Amino acid sequence: DVQLVESGGGSVQVGGSLKLSCAASGYTDSTYIMAWFRQAPGKEREEVASIENDDSTTYADFVKGRFTISQDNAKNTLYLQMNSLKPEDSAMYYCAAGRGVDAHLLRPSGYGYWGQGTQVTVS
């Protein structure tokens, strides 16, 4: 099975930056679409960004220009560079791996593998 382990979360001031990492293991198939989602207390999980095996990316409107998703295939690691952080960015951030149309469209239903999450708090 695919295993995903996030790290890099923490507390940061408004306007600050954080870089999240997600270490992936348990697969050699490079066709997975990798993504970041987030969920704040009392809210539904929402998509943040995704990256495909050709390094094409998709971003939610609310992070465009502030967040950058990237991957290092040699290290099997996914990243999310978050700049100009706002209080509304506070949430648990999850790494996910998926396939197919739903994954391409950043729908949670397209992602079969999830990490345990890393907390980001902006104040």
Side-chain angles (χ1 to χ4, degrees), residues 3 13 25 29 39 47 49 58 64-66 79-80 83 92 107 110 112:
Q3 294 186 337
Q13 292 184 337
S25 62
D29 187 344
Q39 188 168 18
E47 64 276 12
T58 302
K64 283 181 180 177
R66 299 189 299 125
Y79 302 101
L80 185 68
N83 299 327
M92 186 72 79
R107 294 172 178 162

Side-chain angles (χ1 to χ4, degrees), residues 9-13 18 85-87 89-91 93 119-123:
S11 296
V12 65
Q13 292 184 337
L18 280 175
L85 284 162
K86 306 175 182 179
D89 294 318
S90 296
Y93 281 72
Q119 179 68 40
V120 172
T121 303
V122 185
S123 61

Side-chain angles (χ1 to χ4, degrees), residues 32-43:
Y32 282 101
I33 298 171
M34 303 298 296
W36 290 97
F37 288 80
R38 69 185 189 186
Q39 188 168 18
K43 296 187 178 181

Side-chain angles (χ1 to χ4, degrees), residues 57 89 106 118:
T57 57
D89 294 318
L106 264 177
T118 186

